Amino acid sequence: MSVKDNAVNLDKLQMKPEDFQKVGVDEKQSELIKRESLSAWRDAWERLRQNKVAMTSLIILFLIVLFSLIGPRLSPYNYYSNDLLSTNLPPSAEHWFGTDDLGRDMFVRTWMGARISLTIGLAAALIDLLIGVIYGGIMGYFGGRVDEIMNKFSEVLYSIPYLLVTILLLVVLEPSITTIIIALCVTGWINMSWIVRGEMMQLKNREFVLASRSMGAGAGRLLFRHLLPNAVGPIIVTLTLSVPTAIFSEAFLSFLGLGVPAPQASLGSMIESALTGWMYYPWRMLFPAGLISLIMLAFNLFGDGLRDALDPKLKK
């Protein structure tokens, strides 16, 4: 093709002013944000709401807590009065969950046991949270020699058999709810401290921390105002998953006879007392064992859903 032909083709392709048409877009409409801006917590809540399993577990936990508070008041019986003429009765309109070997109402004792087990589990988990966050935050923030010494101490403490330490404390101290909580917290905070330590080591060299340090922020302000708030997601998830662990540990200790003293009842002590006659009186085992299984399952499923909701890697 000659140069002249190329010039003719370019002349044909040349656009004229009337070939252009202005697009009628309103400036205000073009700057509108189509999607509402959500905070991190609002976005996590929206994703948690879409998780049907986690929300169902949350509703179940709410109902269990509610019935543990008001359940004993729905029955005319109490958890400690014996009625030897009404021993081992099956569930009926008078005794909704039946009675035990001393004639005590199982409905009232089951919900009282759930109240005590939840109280011990939540209290132990909160104490573990307090100790673990402070201890792990100091380890992860300062690092170096401080981290090495504190980490070795936690590893030595963690290597001691947990059951041995707990049994020794329960034998030395007077059996009570407070004693059980203290025994559960002796080594229960270590996992939380290691989680917090790992988060601190990841966050302490981030840009916002370096900027705060350059502006004169001290260690306390950096730790409690910048680092810990940014690690609150893993901390909450660990707290949620530590509650069923504490409840199961309390049930195990009560099953061994080291739980709350009689006539108080926990789910573990009720399971232990029902073990000898469960083939003849299965309702005595069914209700406390089923309730503690439901509590642990609901806490674990809710914790899994909360972990997914707070994980930025899973954000769409």
Side-chain angles (χ1 to χ4, degrees):
M1 185 178 292
S2 63
V3 177
K4 183 177 181 180
D5 293 335
N6 287 334
V8 172
N9 291 334
L10 290 175
D11 185 62
K12 290 181 179 180
L13 293 175
Q14 188 175 7
M15 306 299 293
K16 299 178 181 179
E18 55 268 19
D19 293 331
F20 293 92
Q21 206 170 21
K22 186 177 179 181
V23 180
V25 179
D26 189 1
E27 293 182 2
K28 294 182 179 180
Q29 293 293 329
S30 64
E31 295 178 359
L32 288 178
I33 300 176
K34 299 299 181 182
R35 186 177 182 270
E36 182 184 0
S37 179
L38 300 178
S39 64
W41 289 106
R42 177 74 180 279
D43 183 67
W45 168 246
E46 292 296 331
R47 286 193 286 161
L48 182 63
R49 285 177 54 188
Q50 297 174 4
N51 191 329
K52 296 181 180 179
V53 175
M55 293 305 297
T56 303
S57 301
L58 181 61
I59 294 172
I60 292 174
L61 289 174
F62 173 77
L63 293 176
I64 290 175
V65 173
L66 179 64
F67 271 91
S68 68
L69 295 175
I70 67 173
R73 299 184 180 183
L74 300 178
S75 175
Y77 303 99
N78 55 52
Y79 69 92
Y80 54 84
S81 296
N82 300 339
D83 185 4
L84 299 180
L85 298 178
S86 303
T87 59
N88 296 319
L89 294 178
S92 62
E94 185 177 2
H95 298 281
W96 297 338
F97 287 2
T99 61
D100 63 4
D101 55 343
L102 296 177
R104 296 172 296 193
D105 185 75
M106 286 287 296
F107 178 82
V108 176
R109 287 184 64 80
T110 298
W111 291 117
M112 284 297 298
R115 181 189 299 181
I116 291 177
S117 296
L118 287 171
T119 300
I120 292 174
L122 291 172
L126 290 176
I127 295 174
D128 291 342
L129 170 69
L130 179 62
I131 300 175
V133 166
I134 295 176
Y135 196 90
I138 294 174
M139 279 196 301
Y141 177 77
F142 290 100
R145 192 68 174 175
V146 175
D147 174 53
E148 184 179 354
I149 295 174
M150 296 179 69
N151 194 32
K152 289 298 181 183
F153 172 77
S154 62
E155 288 178 354
V156 170
L157 190 61
Y158 191 77
S159 65
I160 301 174
Y162 157 76
L163 186 59
L164 177 61
V165 176
T166 305
I167 292 176
L168 286 176
L169 282 175
L170 291 175
V171 169
V172 173
L173 301 177
E174 182 180 355
S176 64
I177 295 177
T178 304
T179 303
I180 296 175
I181 294 174
I182 294 174
L184 293 176
C185 294
V186 171
T187 58
W189 56 270
I190 297 177
N191 286 328
M192 177 67 76
S193 69
W194 287 344
I195 294 292
V196 175
R197 172 180 176 267
E199 291 296 320
M200 294 300 102
M201 296 182 71
Q202 291 182 5
L203 293 171
K204 69 180 182 180
N205 293 322
R206 300 283 293 273
E207 290 81 1
F208 67 93
V209 178
L210 297 177
S212 299
R213 186 181 290 114
S214 65
M215 296 176 66
R221 183 178 180 83
L222 288 172
L223 184 60
F224 293 102
R225 295 293 298 273
H226 297 285
L227 293 174
L228 288 179
N230 283 278
V232 71
I235 291 173
I236 292 178
V237 173
T238 306
L239 174 66
T240 306
L241 296 176
S242 65
V243 174
T245 303
I247 292 175
F248 181 78
S249 299
E250 181 276 327
F252 177 70
L253 293 173
S254 298
F255 185 80
L256 294 178
L258 300 172
V260 294
Q264 290 180 325
S266 71
L267 296 177
S269 62
M270 293 179 66
I271 295 172
E272 188 274 333
S273 63
L275 185 63
T276 55
W278 72 272
M279 294 185 63
Y280 305 101
Y281 316 112
W283 60 87
R284 290 177 52 191
M285 174 74 74
L286 175 63
F287 292 110
L291 186 57
I292 194 172
S293 300
L294 186 61
I295 291 173
M296 295 187 63
L297 179 63
F299 264 112
N300 281 284
L301 292 178
F302 177 69
D304 290 341
L306 190 61
R307 178 194 58 202
D308 295 339
L310 293 173
D311 191 353
K313 297 178 182 178
L314 300 178
K315 184 176 179 180
K316 295 182 180 179

